[in-house]
């Protein structure tokens, strides 16, 4: 039963042991070392989360029945007998050495102690990683609710050069001509203002 439950633990990442707690495999994230240009693979560790109220899920019984080639009722009975026997051994002060999982012992106050056989297992070795710079590569960027390419964003964010339209040039020429005409007209009409003389 130990080997079968170990396989279940590896496949489902956790194993519920009623009255003892839940064995859970936890994965730490990969670590990037910028100085060495390397990425270390994520590490695994096995912990016991103590909870006396935990119950085994139905998928555990289905899995045990399928692996052992027995009915689900027989799997429930065998599993409950196994867990009950495990609890009794711990209450009697026995040390249970579960291959590839760890050592279970009972403390003075009846508290269950777990020493994992898997302190920190690294799934692979470190690999080198260099940042690749691609100046002209096109990729999509999410902008609000839309996706745009990097070229579209560069064009959209580039400073706009001020270009004058043709109609603005025509407007300035007409304004200049009209001002020149007004100045010429006033100059030919004997000056600006009222030219009548006042007598006292």
């Amino acid at each position: 039963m130990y080997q079968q439950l170990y396989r279940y633990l590896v496949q489902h990442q956790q194993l519920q042991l009623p009255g003892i707690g839940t064995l859970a495999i936890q994965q730490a994230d990969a670590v990037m070392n910028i100085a060495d240009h390397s990425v270390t693979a994520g590490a695994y560790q096995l912990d016991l989360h103590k909870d006396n109220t935990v119950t085994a899920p139905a998928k555990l019984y289905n899995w045990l029945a399928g692996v052992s080639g027995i009915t689900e009722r027989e799997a429930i009975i065998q599993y409950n007998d196994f867990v009950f026997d495990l609890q009794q051994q711990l209450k009697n002060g026995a040390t249970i050495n579960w291959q590839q999982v760890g050592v279970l012992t009972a403390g003075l106050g009846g508290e269950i102690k777990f020493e994992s056989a898997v302190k920190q297992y690294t799934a692979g070795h470190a690999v080198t990683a260099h940042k690749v710079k691609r100046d002209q590569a096109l990729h999509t960027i999410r902008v609000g609710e839309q996706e745009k390419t990097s070229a579209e964003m560069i064009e959209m964010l580039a400073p706009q050069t001020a270009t004058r339209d043709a109609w603005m040039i025509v407007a300035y020429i007409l304004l200049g001509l009209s001002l020149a005409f007004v100045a010429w007209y006033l100059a030919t009409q004997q000056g600006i203002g009222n030219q009548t003389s006042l007598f006292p």
Side-chain angles (χ1 to χ4, degrees):
M1 182 68 78
Y2 284 107
Q3 192 61 30
Q4 293 169 335
L5 291 178
Y6 172 72
R7 286 176 47 205
Y8 177 85
L9 173 64
V10 170
Q11 288 179 5
H12 294 91
Q13 305 296 311
Q14 61 181 2
L15 172 66
Q16 291 81 9
L17 299 169
I20 297 172
T22 302
L23 287 169
I25 297 174
Q26 297 182 356
Q27 180 182 11
D29 294 333
V31 178
M32 183 169 183
N33 188 345
I34 296 173
D36 293 341
H37 298 288
S38 65
V39 178
T40 305
Y44 294 91
Q45 63 185 33
L46 182 61
D47 293 324
L48 175 67
H49 302 287
K50 297 170 186 136
D51 185 5
N52 293 334
T53 61
V54 72
T55 58
K59 70 178 180 180
L60 171 62
Y61 301 129
N62 291 335
W63 188 88
L64 275 175
V67 168
S68 302
I70 57 177
T71 65
E72 187 175 337
R73 184 173 188 271
E74 291 172 340
I76 293 171
I77 292 170
Q78 284 184 9
Y79 180 73
N80 287 336
D81 288 344
F82 170 78
V83 172
F84 180 75
D85 185 45
L86 199 65
Q87 290 174 348
Q88 291 303 315
Q89 288 179 26
L90 289 171
K91 282 182 185 176
N92 293 335
T95 299
I96 299 170
N97 188 2
W98 190 341
Q99 292 289 328
Q100 300 172 320
V101 174
V103 177
L104 291 165
T105 56
L108 295 175
E111 180 183 329
I112 296 171
K113 296 180 181 180
F114 177 69
E115 185 177 332
S116 175
V118 183
K119 298 291 184 192
Q120 196 166 15
Y121 173 74
T122 305
H125 59 282
V127 294
T128 58
H130 295 282
K131 185 174 182 179
V132 177
K133 293 184 180 180
R134 295 186 197 120
D135 293 334
Q136 303 301 323
L138 291 178
H139 56 276
T140 58
I141 301 170
R142 189 161 182 91
V143 180
E145 294 294 322
Q146 301 175 352
E147 285 190 2
K148 297 189 180 244
T149 65
S150 57
E152 290 174 335
M153 288 304 297
I154 289 171
E155 182 180 318
M156 190 170 82
L157 296 175
Q160 299 293 326
T161 57
T163 58
R164 295 194 175 163
D165 295 350
W167 68 272
M168 287 295 289
I169 295 172
V170 171
Y172 286 133
I173 291 172
L174 289 176
L175 178 65
L177 288 174
S178 63
L179 288 175
F181 175 75
V182 168
W184 172 79
Y185 178 76
L186 291 176
T188 58
Q189 296 297 324
Q190 286 108 17
I192 301 172
N194 193 353
Q195 296 296 327
T196 61
S197 54
L198 295 174
F199 296 104

